[in-house]
Amino acid sequence: MKPKYHISPISGFLNDPNGLAQFHGIYHVFYQWLPDVVPQGSKRWRHCVSDDLIHWTDEGSVLEPDEWYEKNGCYSGSGIVAGDKYYLFYTGNVRDAEGGRETYQCTAVSEDGKTFVKKGPVVYLPDTYTPHFRDPKVWRKEGRWWMLVGAQEKGKKGNVALFVSDDLQKWDWIGSMLNPVLDWGYMCECPDLLEVQGPEFLIVSRQKEDGCRGMSFAGKMDYHNGKFTVTDNVGKLLDEGFDFYAPQSFIDESGRCLLMGWLGSGEIDYQMSQPAVKEGWLHSLTIPREVFARDGTLCQRPAKELASLRQNGQSTVCDGNTMINRGTASMEILAEDLNGETLSLDFGTAVSICWDNRQHILSVRRAKWDAPGYDEKHLPLAGLEKLQIFLDQSTTEIFINDGEKVLTMKAYFSENVEIKVFSESKITVNTWVLEVS
Ligand code: FRU
């Protein structure tokens, strides 16, 4: 069930991507990790490296919760390159004797990208927040260092705290960055700020009573006043699927803005019900995605490096009912120039995608693994021109209309996925087996 080209734990439990950066040409990805398959516990940072975003080497666990300021977990955070050093910023999670929470924003530094030396806390909890204060994201702008921390105001409302520094050690708290009148749920986890060809976007994993979702908000950062003003109050779901949370972006050495998310999420029972648990591991990261702006919204497309995995390309002209079987559950499916006609694609019995041209709704159905029946999503779209789908044993990522929307989910496939295409008119479906050599 383990994906072949997605970062997944050898064993144990994975959640958020952390510390993403490119340092001396090498891509570094860390993830929240527990050695056992249980969703809660003292999280560590597990480290992977790659020189091409495709072949990942596991470097083991690098931040272990062994100091007083992180004794109950090295929680999420970010990475930046400054001079010839690689800095990690993360949350030290501490539980006191009564079960109360303490939080410390900490740093660790590396000169070689292998050994990270902990420097301890650099940011303490300002008075206006509860200890739900975590996930520092650091970046450079206007000649200074800036840090966002996901926060909960004492009134139990989500916001994002902003800090500034000139040396990465002494940090000044500027204040809460977001207009409190807007709906930031009860906590904003994993904040991020990105600038792609002009527009700026705030990303937060917003926790609300009715669900926790990764959102993007277009807007403008005023570094002088320390406020981010949204131009879109509602925001956009970064992903429409069932299993996507806690995304993080970084700018690579070529200037691309890349993003990865946790290909997982949800209530503990839902997570633990997954078939992968029996194999001693759980969850993956998404494929690396390139982020760009179109029509003022944040869009994502697969990083171009993914194309190097393509083996054995096949083009199938489909009209009416057609079956395609590539003898694998790790593949890419690309259908372009769709002329808007009604269309459906079934991937074995696990996933089906159906475009209804009359209603202008794309419906995605995924078989439940622990009960009969399906989970469904229905996305209204102006039209359907392109579908690019990545299957990988137990994961599915669907890129719609060149990144206009993305839908990510777990789906447990059998070994050979039979693709059943139904199309009201003639379309071409390209398929590749994806293999990491
Ligand atoms: C998001 C999150 C973060 C936290 C981490 C702990 O999934 O809750 O806010 O740092 O997971 O693993």
Side-chain angles (χ1 to χ4, degrees):
M1 297 182 220
K2 198 174 281 183
K4 297 197 169 153
Y5 59 91
H6 284 75
I7 292 178
S8 312
I10 293 167
S11 63
F13 179 91
L14 169 154
N15 60 302
D16 314 356
N18 291 158
L20 308 182
Q22 191 177 13
F23 180 53
H24 297 326
I26 305 291
Y27 289 102
H28 293 257
V29 170
F30 304 77
Y31 56 82
Q32 289 281 287
W33 180 68
L34 286 173
D36 299 315
V37 190
V38 285
Q40 280 168 330
S42 295
K43 299 273 164 80
R44 291 116 160 104
W45 280 39
R46 187 107 188 183
H47 188 195
C48 302
V49 293
S50 169
D51 56 13
D52 60 3
L53 286 176
I54 299 294
H55 297 86
W56 293 98
T57 310
D58 177 47
E59 299 272 287
S61 176
V62 290
L63 294 182
E64 292 271 325
D66 43 31
E67 301 288 339
W68 69 267
Y69 50 77
E70 58 186 14
K71 75 177 173 57
N72 299 98
C74 298
Y75 274 12
S76 287
S78 56
I80 47 113
V81 176
D84 51 8
K85 295 200 174 98
Y86 187 177
Y87 289 79
L88 303 180
F89 291 87
Y90 65 99
T91 299
N93 179 48
V94 173
R95 292 299 183 121
D96 63 26
E98 286 78 48
R101 207 181 263 270
E102 293 169 22
T103 171
Y104 303 94
Q105 312 319 306
C106 309
T107 184
V109 188
S110 178
E111 289 183 4
D112 60 3
K114 285 184 184 300
T115 312
F116 290 83
V117 179
K118 288 179 188 168
K119 301 285 180 191
V122 287
V123 166
Y124 295 86
L125 180 65
D127 212 34
T128 54
Y129 305 113
T130 77
H132 284 288
F133 186 79
R134 54 182 173 266
D135 312 334
K137 167 78 192 198
V138 174
W139 76 106
R140 189 158 178 85
K141 184 78 184 176
E142 306 197 333
R144 307 191 79 187
W145 296 103
W146 303 85
M147 181 194 284
L148 301 181
V149 183
Q152 181 182 62
E153 304 268 3
K154 282 205 168 134
K156 299 267 171 2
K157 287 191 169 224
N159 210 306
V160 171
L162 179 68
F163 294 81
V164 67
S165 171
D166 291 313
D167 60 6
L168 293 169
Q169 273 157 49
K170 187 184 161 294
W171 290 89
D172 295 324
W173 177 49
I174 296 178
S176 289
M177 190 177 82
L178 305 177
N179 181 351
V181 166
L182 301 176
D183 181 8
W184 303 108
Y186 60 83
M187 166 71 187
C188 290
E189 295 187 303
C190 304
D192 197 354
L193 190 76
L194 33 126
E195 214 179 314
V196 272
Q197 307 121 26
E200 283 165 291
F201 294 97
L202 169 78
I203 290 182
V204 285
S205 290
R206 183 175 65 182
Q207 292 189 308
K208 288 180 57 151
E209 265 77 28
D210 61 356
C212 301
R213 306 297 298 266
M215 310 279 304
S216 72
F217 294 84
K220 184 93 198 96
M221 181 70 193
D222 181 339
Y223 285 88
H224 190 68
N225 295 322
K227 301 284 178 204
F228 183 83
T229 311
V230 299
T231 48
D232 130 39
N233 287 357
V234 182
K236 177 181 174 181
L237 276 180
L238 266 169
D239 197 288
E240 302 281 344
F242 302 100
D243 304 282
F244 179 89
Y245 196 62
Q248 185 179 102
S249 73
F250 72 106
I251 308 285
D252 79 355
E253 288 171 357
S254 73
R256 279 186 299 178
C257 182
L258 295 168
L259 174 139
M260 293 172 91
W262 172 25
L263 209 165
S265 88
E267 299 299 324
I268 289 175
D269 288 352
Y270 166 71
Q271 294 187 47
M272 296 310 289
S273 74
Q274 301 206 15
V277 173
K278 291 191 221 81
E279 289 187 351
W281 66 280
L282 187 59
H283 300 312
S284 306
L285 297 182
T286 65
I287 55 171
R289 302 165 177 188
E290 189 177 344
V291 174
F292 62 102
R294 194 170 51 212
D295 303 331
T297 70
L298 195 72
C299 299
Q300 304 163 61
R301 61 166 83 94
K304 63 178 185 328
E305 285 84 346
L306 267 297
S308 70
L309 292 172
R310 290 174 171 177
Q311 304 285 323
N312 231 327
Q314 192 173 291
S315 248
T316 311
V317 177
C318 305
D319 199 354
N321 285 307
T322 312
M323 294 297 280
I324 304 171
N325 190 336
R326 308 302 315 274
T328 178
S330 290
M331 60 181 141
E332 180 184 342
I333 299 98
L334 175 66
E336 284 178 288
D337 303 323
L338 300 173
N339 43 24
E341 298 291 335
T342 292
L343 159 88
S344 71
L345 289 161
D346 289 2
F347 299 99
T349 51
V351 170
S352 88
I353 303 174
C354 184
W355 167 245
D356 179 338
N357 183 33
R358 281 158 281 273
Q359 310 277 338
H360 281 237
I361 300 275
L362 186 79
S363 301
V364 177
R365 213 167 75 159
R366 171 214 39 204
K368 292 182 191 291
W369 41 76
D370 58 345
Y374 298 91
D375 301 308
E376 295 187 36
K377 294 274 180 185
H378 302 282
L379 311 184
L381 293 173
L384 182 67
E385 290 117 48
K386 180 170 168 183
L387 284 172
Q388 186 175 13
I389 303 159
F390 291 81
L391 309 186
D392 199 5
Q393 313 297 320
S394 49
T395 68
T396 301
E397 283 159 279
I398 306 171
F399 294 82
I400 301 157
N401 292 343
D402 246 331
E404 176 186 333
K405 293 201 167 161
V406 190
L407 194 151
T408 299
M409 61 189 178
K410 299 294 178 73
Y412 287 83
F413 296 107
S414 54
E415 233 161 76
N416 296 336
V417 177
E418 274 199 322
I419 310 173
K420 191 166 107 202
V421 183
F422 170 75
S423 167
E424 272 187 359
S425 64
K426 203 188 266 186
I427 59 162
T428 303
V429 175
N430 297 299
T431 50
W432 292 268
V433 172
L434 298 189
E435 256 166 38
V436 184
S437 50

